[in-house]
Amino acid sequence: MRHYVRSRGLPGALAALLGTAVAAAWAAWWLVSLPDFDHTTRLPVVVLGPLLAAGVIGTSLHTPSDELDRTAVRAWWPRRLAHLLAPTALAAVLLALAVPGHAEEFGAPATVRNTLGLVGVTAAAAALVGARLSWLPPTFHVGVVYLAAPAGAGGGAVWWGWVTRPGPEGEAWAVAAAAFATGSALYAWRGSRRTA
């Protein structure tokens, strides 16, 4: 187990997750201290904190010994799933604590939702394009959504712009949960795609 953790770079990833949470907490505190603060001001923290955490988790999903993994006596999917779920749970808890606030606005619920959804997208990307590039699809998605999603409620933007929606919206949670479940299952089944 210790060899597995070290070969995937999990100690460094966990340290980076802690650093991400500290930076998110500082940014959220700074935004609250601004004189014209309203709860939507925290949207960059609620989106970028989970995106950075997902990128950190994604880069730890690499497989340094793909041939050994495929010829192992025991199935690898339980280890892969645990490898994905443990840092995701840690990131969700740390970021939820870093960005407190009103549940109806951009606080802990939106942060947890975005963490789960973006980790799911990253895990699927690791299975399809490899762990080194797994951060690109969620970053592209967040960039497009952040620039193009309308601020108002309703419409189809609730489904494709889920990362910019307030915390309690059921449609946004449904999309994030589906992304997390699909990405986790795909990564647990296939593992990270081998890249040269």
Side-chain angles (χ1 to χ4, degrees):
M1 184 66 173
R2 185 172 54 189
H3 177 66
Y4 178 91
V5 168
R6 288 181 59 206
S7 69
R8 267 63 174 183
L10 279 175
L14 296 178
L17 286 178
L18 183 60
T20 299
V22 168
W26 177 84
W29 171 82
W30 178 72
L31 289 171
V32 169
S33 70
L34 295 175
D36 56 344
F37 170 77
D38 79 15
H39 297 291
T40 58
T41 308
R42 286 184 293 192
L43 181 61
V45 178
V46 168
V47 172
L48 295 178
L51 179 63
L52 289 173
V56 167
I57 292 169
T59 56
S60 77
L61 299 178
H62 70 280
T63 304
S65 58
D66 186 56
E67 296 84 11
L68 292 175
D69 290 1
R70 282 185 280 134
T71 60
V73 175
R74 294 182 187 162
W76 275 91
W77 72 265
R79 288 183 189 91
R80 289 186 193 123
L81 190 59
H83 176 175
L84 182 65
L85 293 180
T88 302
L90 178 65
V93 168
L94 288 176
L95 288 172
L97 293 173
V99 187
H102 299 281
E104 68 275 4
E105 294 294 338
F106 297 98
T111 305
V112 170
R113 180 201 63 218
N114 287 349
T115 301
L116 294 175
L118 291 172
V119 166
V121 173
T122 303
L128 298 174
V129 298
R132 288 183 187 162
L133 298 176
S134 64
W135 58 274
L136 279 174
T139 302
F140 178 76
H141 174 73
V142 165
V144 168
V145 167
Y146 197 78
L147 294 175
V158 173
W159 297 99
W160 62 267
W162 55 273
V163 293
T164 60
R165 308 305 304 163
E169 289 191 6
E171 296 93 344
W173 272 96
V175 174
F180 182 68
T182 303
S184 299
L186 186 61
Y187 173 73
W189 174 55
R190 291 191 59 183
S192 179
R193 181 177 178 210
R194 185 178 180 195
T195 55

